[in-house]
Amino acid sequence: MRSVSGSGERLLAILGLFSEETSEWTPEDMMQELGFSRPTLYRYLKTLKDAGYLVSLPQAGYTLGPRVTELDFLMRRSDPLIKIADPHLDVLAATFVGSAFIVRFYDQKMLCVASRVSAPEPRSSYPRGRPMPIGKGAVSRAIVAFLPPKDRAALVSDFLDAFVTSGIGSTKDAVLTELKRIRRNRVATARGEVTPGLVGVAAPILAGDGTPIGALCLSTEETTLTKDQLAALRDAIRDHAEAISDALTLPSARASA
């Protein structure tokens, strides 16, 4: 049972129930999960339904509504990160065969928000909007490596098993040492950790204070990538990520953020 108070928190708690694993909820299950009384729950469900955030299913429960799709459309049009990153994604996809994409980081979640694909038969386990795993893959390491030291150590502790199974260290200290190396190099590489057979190369996208807001990544088939191509890809990802970070610090970008 979750502990929430205040109307805003209750509304967000209801929306926060929906996930890839549980995309439909009955009122009974909601009450059990959240601890809301029936009158309280139905009052908030009506508010969310009237606003289009939820739709009710006959003889079933509730699922997310069309307002979520509308907000997604508006986010694509207004997010300064997407606007700034778009031409960089075009260049990367034209230069390297694979999938170039931008990831946003928030609340211990990493989501692809924009991508360009140049592979004839692209493969991805995490399309736009599906949360990516923390502890596995180049994106995760590129982001976590640039968190403040206390936050970095706490996140590694929380997801230590995932970091260890990814092969970058067998202990917390070893993982943190590898993340420091990635921080110095400003680019991370992973082979087959998220999608078997794919190499991912990622670099952080940083706010003006140096904290990560996301990452730039390109994934490509490992069997077609030579050593020289990998080196060129690492340089390109790092350079484009730094250019995006620099552009985001301009006054015009900050005003629209």
Side-chain angles (χ1 to χ4, degrees):
M1 184 181 299
R2 307 182 187 187
S3 177
V4 294
S5 62
S7 297
E9 288 188 5
R10 291 192 179 101
L11 290 169
L12 290 175
I14 293 172
L15 292 176
L17 292 174
F18 295 89
S19 66
E20 184 176 353
E21 292 75 24
T22 311
S23 59
E24 180 183 321
W25 284 82
T26 66
E28 289 71 22
D29 289 340
M30 289 182 181
M31 285 186 289
Q32 182 176 355
E33 179 71 17
L34 298 173
F36 295 174
S37 67
R38 187 175 297 273
T40 295
L41 176 65
Y42 275 91
R43 183 168 70 251
Y44 288 115
L45 288 177
K46 182 180 186 304
T47 297
L48 291 169
K49 182 179 176 181
D50 290 347
Y53 289 98
L54 296 180
V55 294
S56 58
L57 306 174
Q59 308 302 318
Y62 289 81
T63 189
L64 294 175
R67 177 61 174 162
V68 177
T69 303
E70 183 181 1
L71 290 176
D72 178 70
F73 169 75
L74 294 172
M75 190 272 292
R76 293 191 197 202
R77 290 175 60 90
S78 62
D79 186 347
L81 175 57
I82 295 176
K83 289 182 177 181
I84 291 170
D86 270 347
H88 295 275
L89 294 175
D90 289 336
V91 171
L92 286 168
T95 306
F96 302 95
V97 177
S99 299
F101 55 95
I102 287 289
V103 171
R104 265 204 180 273
F105 175 65
Y106 79 102
D107 191 29
Q108 294 192 350
K109 290 185 179 181
M110 302 178 298
L111 295 177
C112 172
V113 295
S115 65
R116 296 290 187 279
V117 176
S118 57
E121 296 181 1
R123 295 192 297 131
S124 175
S125 299
Y126 293 90
R128 185 178 183 277
R130 185 185 185 191
M132 304 178 73
I134 290 181
K136 293 186 177 182
V139 167
S140 176
R141 295 203 276 277
I143 291 174
V144 177
F146 280 81
L147 291 174
K150 288 185 178 179
D151 294 340
R152 188 189 320 151
L155 205 61
V156 170
S157 294
D158 290 343
F159 295 90
L160 183 58
D161 288 346
F163 280 105
V164 169
T165 56
S166 72
I168 68 167
S170 57
T171 65
K172 177 181 176 180
D173 287 343
V175 171
L176 290 173
T177 296
E178 174 62 14
L179 292 175
K180 288 179 181 178
R181 185 189 68 81
I182 292 170
R183 187 182 179 95
R184 290 194 299 270
N185 293 334
R186 303 182 72 85
V187 65
T189 303
R191 300 175 181 272
E193 293 177 25
V194 177
T195 303
L198 293 186
V199 174
V201 177
I205 296 173
L206 306 175
D209 62 358
T211 58
I213 62 172
L216 172 66
C217 184
L218 187 136
S219 62
T220 187
E221 297 288 342
E222 184 173 10
T223 56
T224 64
L225 192 66
T226 67
K227 184 177 180 179
D228 288 343
Q229 288 172 335
L230 177 58
L233 176 57
R234 283 171 56 86
D235 288 342
I237 289 292
R238 180 173 50 226
D239 292 345
H240 282 281
E242 290 179 355
I244 294 169
S245 299
D246 290 343
L248 283 169
T249 64
L250 296 175
S252 57
R254 290 198 301 270
S256 59

